[in-house]
Amino acid sequence: MTGSDPLKTAEHRRLAEATGRAEDSLSEANPWYEWGPYLAERAWGSVREDYSADGDAWASFPHDQARSRVYRWNEDGMAGICDVRQELCLSLALWNGRDPFLKERMFGLSGPQGNHGEDVKEYWWYLEGLPSHALLKWRYHYPQAEFPYEQLVAENARRTRQDPEFELMDTGVFDDGRFWIVDVTYAKESPTDLFMRIDITNHGPDQATLHVLPTFWFRNTWRWTDAQPPALSLDGTTIVSDHPIAGGYRFDVEPGSDPRILFCDNETNPDVQDGAPRRSAYPKDGINDHVVSGAPTVNPDQRGTKAAFWFEPTVGAGQTVTLRLRLHRPVDEPTSWDAALCDSVVAQRINDADEFYAAIGKDLDDERRLVLRQASAGLVWSKQIYPYRVSRWLDGDPAEPPPPPERETGRNANWRHLDAFDILAMPDPWEYPWFAAWDLAFHSIAWAHLDPAFAKYQLTVLLREWFQHPNGALPAYEWDFDDVNPPVHAFATLRVFLIDGARDRAFLERIFQKLMLNFTWWLNREDPSGHNVFGGGFLGLDNISPVDRSHLPPGVTIEQADGTAWMAMYSENMLLIALMLAEQNDVYDDMVVKFLEQFLLIADALDDAHLYDPADGFFYDRLTDAAGQQIPIKVQTLVGMIPLLASVSLPPEQVRRLAVLEKRTARRLDDSERSPAQREHNLGRVPRVAGTDGVLISLVTPDMASTALRHVFDEQGFLSPHGLRSVTKRLSTPYVVPGLPSAVIDYEPGESTTDMYGGNSNWRGPVWLPTNYLVVRTLVRYDKVPGSRFTVEYPTGSGVQRSMDDIATDLADRLVGIWLPGPDGRRPVWGGDPRFADDPAWRDNLLFFEYFHGDTAKGLGASHQTGWTALVVDLLLDPPGRAAG
């Protein structure tokens, strides 16, 4: 697929309708993007909805208030879609007749409630998703017994970090097999004409009734400006929208069906929020109260800003009932339709999806194509509208009381320029319903195989003036835009460029210009001493250090092996981009010299810092206390593997270009020019490869890499059956940093028992995809010039010498194997749970977790992290051996 012309499936033709400037304006985007899965799975408990003085977002807007309080910045719902501006929203509500309230959104524990941090306590899957949203399919398993809300809260509160999480399955609510399987399928006839089909299967042994409420509403944008509210009203049995932008839409039920139709207003119920004015006699929770308790809380005039069709199908044991609806904006008079038309459009779109995934995954077997299809569906469903104007959030709305004064100097106060209103790929639609800079870079790599225009937009948008700070910083994530993520944007840019066929040099140039600002920010802010040894604090790897690198004791400083290596890797990728741009514009020759020089300065500084331990053959962070004593943190974690990633092979034609550019560059290609101390340690060498005219630019020599890789490929150390662990398994007893008795770390293959970092940031042993992926791609780079001459023992102790490309292939296979049936027929991702592993109703509905148990590969953490975990898409479609580089 890499580098080929677009395949002419129906989906490719839809994507080709893009104007080419989708990154500039939502109004100029591909018309098929008009409706999509942009609705969040969770808006409560998020930073944007937090208007408290103490910044406790979880307590400020809890789940129990979500059905009754209006959101300020976005909306949420189950199986939800909305228009590209999120004026109109559509989602599903359910009631089993026993719960205390409608299920309008997924339930989960907040960060303080969970014994390992926030955690959703529901089971749903994204089964289908085309990049144009012409087909979307969502599945949910809903207990027929009362949902155990209180039990989940109480038991998790009782448990400690030493205990596993208490999940919905553990409550026994599914033990007798009494649950509903609810499938929601959206299929578009055109960009503004889509069918919604809801298939309800009674999995239980007895006939049962389910209340099904497809719900249609306006996001409340009028309250914050005192504008006139829009209106939903009834035209026969059709709900009609009256809105300045989203007017003229009609929401129909299948002709002949006869649901009740309920209206209320998307306004806050003042009974749940002190001081809130009563803006409506039928507030946001009116439909809930009417269905659950029969309260007179819906508008008898059948008018409002929120409406629902109320179906009550009774379904026999093992039977399925289908409900059909249509949302459309007819240009002329409404057209008639029936079940046959709906089912025909759904069948056409399923056929389109079959063709699309068969085309891009033409070399895959059925099981791998299933992984591809569901991982891609998760990516598609992770798209969300992201409105966040920080200055307005800090100052408050003109029509509302001002926020507490503490906000002016609190979270994100330095980001007043940030004014977002964009479609972004979220790390996890429930656990992380906000962008994260380095997650977004990894998302883009997978997206490049599905929709290259959207992939480029994701990389470009964070560098636009409404996101990137004037000082060059990129916003990390909304909990703290000032935090520092690893600088992987340049790496992702190269991958997207190559996957897309290496043609779009305008995209490459545009990204390069803005990354120059970010690179300079790193030089100025994260290397305050000017010695080219970088910090950065968090950098995504805090959680595998025995010390909190972002919050060190007074007087203590840290030199980070990974911070410095990330910048070396950044320099190399900027060098590669500059070389590609210089092929057509020699103005970029100066940038080629600049980034080669910068890489070598960093390499020399890392050498001088002595963060590499030649006796161990590994890199370690080092602390310096207030008295000047230096304390190496001698524990083998992914931190010490990051320097191996700073490696790039240059083919002969690029080496010749470097050699003629500038005298100092030419001298750097000659090892004899290096000092004896530099030759002794060999860091930052640019050696010519024997028998070729190519060079390998790397922080480590092949000999150093071989030594370090002996640790990495040790099956009793880092190498697990399903990828590389984040901490060596050989850490059988806790490691304590000398002089800091509270700084402790040990190998924990699953959930972490430390609360140092809070939440579910558990990287003390599990396998996680981003670093594994970077190792795989780095091994391919090692092999580009030396080829099969550079071999190492793999696995360590096996006596088998293998090339870097062979090892990369095996590692990729181990990672993909997390989701594939093993010799026992079970998928490792499910661990040993027999229901997930063996039951046909569960086993083939795949989840893409945040990380995976270091010994068994059981999925852990956020369960819909089809953000960075969707890197499996790139491993499937562009595997080592034929990768784009």
Side-chain angles (χ1 to χ4, degrees):
M1 179 65 183
T2 301
S4 64
D5 291 330
L7 298 165
K8 301 303 181 182
T9 67
E11 180 64 6
H12 284 98
R13 290 194 294 273
R14 287 188 202 98
L15 296 176
E17 292 182 18
T19 63
R21 293 183 58 81
E23 71 275 10
D24 287 341
S25 170
L26 293 179
S27 63
E28 296 176 1
N30 184 331
W32 285 89
Y33 295 162
E34 177 64 24
W35 282 84
Y38 311 134
L39 197 68
E41 296 281 5
R42 176 176 65 82
W44 62 273
S46 61
V47 166
R48 283 172 288 165
E49 301 301 331
D50 175 21
Y51 280 74
S52 67
D54 61 4
D56 187 346
W58 292 112
S60 173
F61 205 133
H63 173 269
D64 199 47
Q65 293 187 6
R67 64 181 175 275
S68 305
R69 277 178 60 183
V70 170
Y71 294 124
R72 167 61 180 91
W73 292 96
N74 65 333
E75 294 285 347
D76 61 11
M78 302 194 308
I81 63 171
C82 65
D83 69 276
V84 75
R85 292 162 296 279
Q86 202 175 81
E87 303 287 356
L88 271 173
C89 306
L90 171 60
S91 72
L92 183 68
L94 301 169
W95 188 48
N96 57 15
R98 295 177 174 85
D99 290 352
F101 46 83
L102 294 184
K103 185 162 289 295
E104 297 179 89
R105 55 190 53 80
M106 295 303 178
F107 171 73
L109 302 183
S110 68
Q113 287 176 320
N115 62 321
H116 292 284
E118 69 273 16
D119 186 40
V120 70
K121 301 298 183 184
E122 306 264 17
Y123 299 116
W124 80 98
W125 299 267
Y126 305 124
L127 299 185
E128 294 283 6
L130 283 173
S132 67
H133 324 130
L135 177 70
L136 300 166
K137 186 175 181 180
W138 172 98
R139 174 170 292 173
Y140 175 54
H141 287 183
Y142 183 32
Q144 293 180 2
E146 182 176 349
F147 196 90
Y149 292 105
E150 294 182 3
Q151 182 184 5
L152 287 165
V153 173
E155 177 60 22
N156 279 282
R158 186 191 66 78
R159 296 190 178 197
T160 70
R161 288 196 181 273
Q162 308 301 319
D163 301 309
E165 294 174 350
F166 183 66
E167 304 291 2
L168 179 58
M169 193 68 75
D170 299 326
T171 67
V173 74
F174 290 104
D175 285 354
D176 60 0
R178 296 176 188 269
F179 61 92
W180 298 98
I181 300 175
V182 181
D183 287 333
V184 177
T185 303
Y186 295 102
K188 293 184 184 180
E189 173 72 2
S190 74
T192 56
D193 186 355
L194 60 156
F195 288 93
M196 178 186 194
R197 192 174 76 183
I198 308 170
D199 296 299
I200 305 147
T201 300
N202 178 1
H203 190 272
D206 302 310
Q207 178 176 285
T209 298
L210 179 65
H211 300 255
V212 183
L213 294 98
T215 305
F216 193 45
W217 74 100
F218 290 111
R219 178 167 63 94
N220 191 322
T221 58
W222 55 91
R223 167 178 164 181
W224 324 110
T225 58
D226 278 340
Q228 185 67 27
L232 297 174
S233 59
L234 205 57
D235 179 10
T237 58
T238 298
I239 300 171
V240 180
S241 70
D242 182 5
H243 185 278
I245 298 174
Y249 275 101
R250 301 175 65 85
F251 190 34
D252 300 336
V253 295
E254 179 183 344
S257 60
D258 189 26
R260 280 175 278 185
I261 307 174
L262 309 176
F263 288 81
C264 66
D265 288 310
N266 189 16
E267 298 282 6
T268 295
N269 185 338
D271 294 340
V272 301
Q273 186 179 21
D274 294 339
R278 180 167 291 279
R279 298 175 182 268
S280 171
Y282 311 101
K284 181 179 177 181
D285 52 14
I287 293 173
N288 172 87
D289 293 352
H290 181 73
V291 172
V292 173
S293 62
T297 50
V298 293
N299 192 340
D301 295 333
Q302 295 186 306
R303 185 178 179 86
T305 51
K306 178 180 177 180
F309 293 112
W310 181 9
F311 298 91
E312 299 177 70
T314 297
V315 187
Q319 301 300 304
T320 300
V321 167
T322 298
L323 307 176
R324 299 173 180 87
L325 303 99
R326 186 181 191 183
L327 174 63
H328 57 130
R329 193 182 209 174
V331 176
D332 302 314
E333 290 299 314
T335 57
S336 60
W337 64 283
D338 56 17
L341 178 60
C342 174
D343 292 346
S344 173
V345 173
V346 170
Q348 290 172 26
R349 297 301 166 250
I350 291 174
N351 184 67
D352 291 348
D354 291 342
E355 289 185 355
F356 179 73
Y357 287 108
I360 65 172
K362 58 183 180 298
D363 297 327
L364 303 179
D365 59 29
D366 290 344
E367 284 291 349
R368 285 172 174 78
R369 195 171 293 167
L370 177 71
V371 177
L372 167 67
R373 198 151 171 168
Q374 292 193 31
S376 299
L379 272 175
V380 172
W381 278 92
S382 75
K383 286 183 176 181
Q384 290 179 20
I385 183 75
Y386 189 82
Y388 189 20
R389 184 178 176 186
V390 173
S391 61
R392 176 62 60 87
W393 180 76
L394 291 170
D395 298 338
D397 294 294
E400 294 291 305
E406 291 87 347
R407 296 172 66 83
E408 285 298 316
T409 55
R411 177 181 288 134
N412 297 334
N414 297 324
W415 291 80
R416 282 186 162 272
H417 76 284
L418 199 149
D419 187 5
F421 195 81
D422 301 90
I423 302 297
L424 301 179
M426 302 299 167
D428 180 292
W430 192 94
E431 301 227 13
Y432 307 120
W434 29 261
F435 77 90
W438 80 315
D439 297 64
L440 203 59
F442 290 125
H443 300 177
S444 301
I445 294 170
W447 264 111
H449 292 281
L450 307 177
D451 184 352
F454 185 73
K456 296 171 192 175
Y457 165 50
Q458 296 300 282
L459 288 171
T460 304
V461 71
L462 287 196
L463 297 168
R464 295 303 301 266
E465 60 276 11
W466 57 85
F467 272 107
Q468 187 173 22
H469 198 282
N471 66 17
L474 295 184
Y477 38 77
E478 72 175 27
W479 284 90
D480 187 358
F481 286 148
D482 285 319
D483 218 333
V484 183
N485 279 177
V488 293
H489 240 67
F491 172 84
T493 297
L494 278 169
R495 282 295 300 157
V496 169
F497 175 73
L498 293 169
I499 292 167
D500 189 41
R503 295 180 292 260
D504 192 351
R505 291 180 183 271
F507 157 72
L508 206 60
E509 187 169 20
R510 187 176 193 180
I511 292 278
F512 183 82
Q513 298 289 348
K514 298 302 291 286
L515 285 180
M516 282 287 296
L517 302 177
N518 181 246
F519 191 91
T520 303
W521 175 85
W522 271 87
L523 294 178
N524 293 337
R525 297 299 181 95
E526 300 304 325
D527 176 29
S529 66
H531 294 158
N532 287 298
V533 177
F534 293 83
F538 177 65
L539 283 180
L541 301 179
D542 245 17
N543 320 75
I544 55 172
S545 174
V547 298
D548 185 342
R549 302 189 304 180
S550 297
H551 304 93
L552 296 169
V556 175
T557 60
I558 189 169
E559 294 169 291
Q560 294 180 210
D562 58 327
T564 304
W566 283 121
M567 277 302 288
M569 180 180 170
Y570 198 175
S571 301
E572 286 179 332
N573 286 304
M574 291 293 278
L575 167 65
L576 285 176
I577 295 174
L579 279 166
M580 292 179 183
L581 293 174
E583 290 173 0
Q584 296 184 0
N585 186 346
D586 58 12
V587 168
Y588 285 96
D589 282 344
D590 291 342
M591 292 296 98
V592 171
V593 174
K594 182 261 188 305
F595 284 109
L596 179 61
E597 284 287 307
Q598 190 65 60
F599 168 79
L600 294 167
L601 288 170
I602 294 171
D604 289 345
L606 190 60
D607 188 6
D608 294 339
H610 301 292
L611 298 182
Y612 177 71
D613 186 322
D616 290 357
F618 216 74
F619 286 85
Y620 301 113
D621 283 354
R622 184 172 61 216
L623 295 173
T624 302
D625 64 18
Q629 180 183 1
Q630 294 185 330
I631 308 166
I633 303 177
K634 297 192 69 173
V635 58
Q636 291 187 355
T637 72
L638 285 179
V639 166
M641 289 167 54
I642 300 303
L644 304 181
L645 305 180
S647 173
V648 62
S649 301
L650 298 182
E653 61 272 17
Q654 291 180 332
V655 175
R656 286 192 290 272
R657 186 176 192 88
L658 285 174
V660 301
L661 287 179
E662 200 253 352
K663 290 182 179 180
R664 292 177 62 196
T665 303
R667 286 200 302 270
R668 286 291 198 174
L669 296 173
D670 182 357
D671 193 50
S672 65
E673 293 289 329
R674 295 175 60 75
S675 70
Q678 290 171 333
R679 289 199 299 271
E680 177 184 356
H681 292 99
N682 287 325
L683 288 176
R685 285 188 60 194
V686 188
R688 293 188 181 276
V689 179
T692 78
D693 291 323
V695 299
L696 178 68
I697 300 179
S698 176
L699 279 183
V700 297
T701 65
D703 287 343
M704 294 169 65
S706 295
T707 303
L709 290 175
R710 280 202 293 270
H711 300 291
V712 175
F713 297 152
D714 178 3
E715 292 183 302
Q716 300 305 311
F718 285 102
L719 183 60
S720 84
H722 296 288
L724 299 175
R725 304 175 177 102
S726 47
V727 173
T728 177
K729 191 177 180 178
R730 290 192 179 276
L731 195 63
S732 55
T733 57
Y735 171 84
V736 182
V737 177
L740 293 174
S742 61
V744 182
I745 187 172
D746 60 356
Y747 171 67
E748 299 176 15
E751 293 94 343
S752 174
T753 60
T754 180
D755 58 1
M756 184 186 300
Y757 309 104
N760 55 4
S761 299
N762 307 315
W763 308 124
R764 299 189 164 224
V767 172
W768 54 318
L769 262 289
T771 47
N772 273 265
Y773 174 84
L774 290 172
V775 170
V776 168
R777 291 301 176 207
T778 298
L779 294 177
V780 173
R781 285 183 171 185
Y782 270 108
D783 224 29
K784 285 292 184 182
V785 173
S788 59
R789 286 181 294 275
F790 185 19
T791 62
V792 298
E793 187 180 40
Y794 181 86
T796 300
S798 68
V800 178
Q801 294 286 318
R802 301 180 68 174
S803 72
M804 294 294 99
D805 202 61
D806 285 345
I807 295 170
T809 298
D810 182 75
L811 272 177
D813 288 344
R814 290 180 186 230
L815 295 167
V816 173
I818 291 171
W819 293 274
L820 299 177
D824 61 357
R826 292 183 166 189
R827 304 179 192 276
V829 66
W830 297 133
D833 188 296
R835 182 172 285 110
F836 286 110
D838 301 323
D839 191 327
W842 298 81
R843 66 187 179 199
D844 295 332
N845 303 327
L846 304 183
L847 290 176
F848 297 84
F849 290 86
E850 187 176 3
Y851 52 97
F852 303 89
H853 193 281
D855 296 332
T856 68
K858 178 183 178 181
L860 299 167
S863 55
H864 296 80
Q865 231 283 6
T866 339
W868 63 36
T869 300
L871 286 166
V872 68
V873 169
D874 189 51
L875 296 177
L876 285 165
L877 297 182
D878 204 10
R882 63 177 182 86

